[in-house]
Each structure stands twice: as C-alpha cells, then as structure tokens.
Amino acid sequence: KLDLSIQKTLAQVEKFLKNEIYVDNTATILVGVSGGVDSVSLLDSLALLSEKFYFKIIIAHYNHSLRGADSDADEDFVKDLAIKYGFDYFSAKGDVVAYAEKNSISIELAARQLRYNFFERTSRNHYADFVATAHTADDSAETFLFNLFRGSGLTGLSGIPATRNFVKNVVIARPLLTLKKKEIIEYAKARKLKWREDRTNEAVDYTR
C-alpha cells in the first residue's frame, strides 16, 4: 500500500493531467528538471502516472553556470536520472551573467529567459505538447506577494497560472501548483528520492 503522502501527490497530479491539460496516450511532456526536490518529485510522479496513461516524457535541463562545479554536478545528476528512468534527455548551458549584462537585465530575468528559450527550442524540436515545470503553491504565493509589493494593479495581482500558452501547439503546465513545498518533500522522502539542494535555482526563479 502506498504511503499517504505518495497517494495524495499522485492523486493531485493525476487530477491535473485529466482536468487541466487532458493528457492522453498521444501526448509528449517535456519536464524541466533542475535536480532540486520539486522537479525531481515532479518527474517521479509523472513517470509513475505515465505507466497508467502511456504519455511520453522528455527530460530537459538548463545549466545556468551560476555555481561553477555545482552547476555542472546538477547537470550530471539530472542526466543520471534520465538514464535511471529511461527517458530521453536534453540539456544546454549558458552564461547567464554575460547575457544579463549584454541585455541590461537582472540575473534572475536573464536566467529565466535563457531557460525558457531552451525549453521552447527543445519542445519544438521534439514535438512536445506540454512543458511541465515544478512550481508549487509556495511559489505561487511568493509571486502574488512580489507583484503586490511591486505595485501591480488588480489585473497583475495573481500567482502563477496552472497552465498558459507557451508557443504554437505547446502549453506550459504546472502539475504541482496545488501542493505545498513541505508536501513535496514528504513525497520525495516517502519515495526515497535523491535530489540536489538548489538554493540558487530557487533564487533565480523568484521573479518569474
């Protein structure tokens, strides 16, 4: 019998797949995996559910090169995960700092732009229907507060959307958005998953 935390997470992700993006056995989901607990748990839950719904999974990792050897170790970790699960894996590497300086934008925004540019290329090249990212309820609340403090009008006072159109025929999906970080960690521990600590990833994701 599955641990309750595993049951709850899988039930929420399955509900999302059925009610939000209507996944079937023809779908291809590109999963953005940083190596942190959120994205590793997302990958694991989707892998389990793919055995039920028969959709295809592709793993994508963007190396922001912000932490030197640690960033490269993250990339190697995700590559090993892809081998473990038996999924196709694609990665890219960029100089976030140089890109930020060239375009006069923040490190956070530069990291996000480069990462999503990579997701766009990869999803197009490999005919993905969805790009799944591991945003949680905590991330959505933070985004709402960030917009509030930034002085957004009422239309800007929202958290992270569960889905949004990305590029033609590709939708960004956030299957973990109804789950809190602590619930994700409980799931990961119950599933005996391994992950990389990603404090920098969390920081560069803040102003998404």
Side-chain angles (χ1 to χ4, degrees), residues 69-111:
D70 274 349
S71 291
D72 293 337
D74 289 346
E75 184 175 348
D76 290 340
F77 174 80
V78 177
K79 185 176 182 180
D80 288 342
L81 271 183
I83 293 170
K84 173 189 169 186
Y85 285 102
F87 297 142
D88 289 340
Y89 164 80
F90 301 96
S91 65
K93 192 173 187 176
D95 190 333
V96 173
V97 175
Y99 183 85
E101 290 176 354
K102 179 182 177 183
N103 294 280
S104 301
I105 56 177
S106 68
I107 294 291
E108 293 83 3
L109 184 56

Side-chain angles (χ1 to χ4, degrees), residues 94-150:
D95 190 333
V96 173
V97 175
Y99 183 85
E101 290 176 354
K102 179 182 177 183
N103 294 280
S104 301
I105 56 177
S106 68
I107 294 291
E108 293 83 3
L109 184 56
R112 185 184 188 283
Q113 286 185 3
L114 287 171
R115 182 169 65 255
Y116 278 85
N117 286 346
F118 164 63
F119 287 163
E120 178 181 343
R121 291 194 306 274
T122 309
S123 61
R124 283 183 184 277
N125 290 341
H126 301 282
Y127 306 101
D129 302 288
F130 305 98
V131 173
T133 64
H135 295 84
T136 67
D138 301 60
D139 295 320
S140 189
E142 284 181 4
T143 299
F144 176 85
L145 290 172
F146 177 80
N147 288 337
L148 180 65
F149 293 135
R150 193 173 57 179

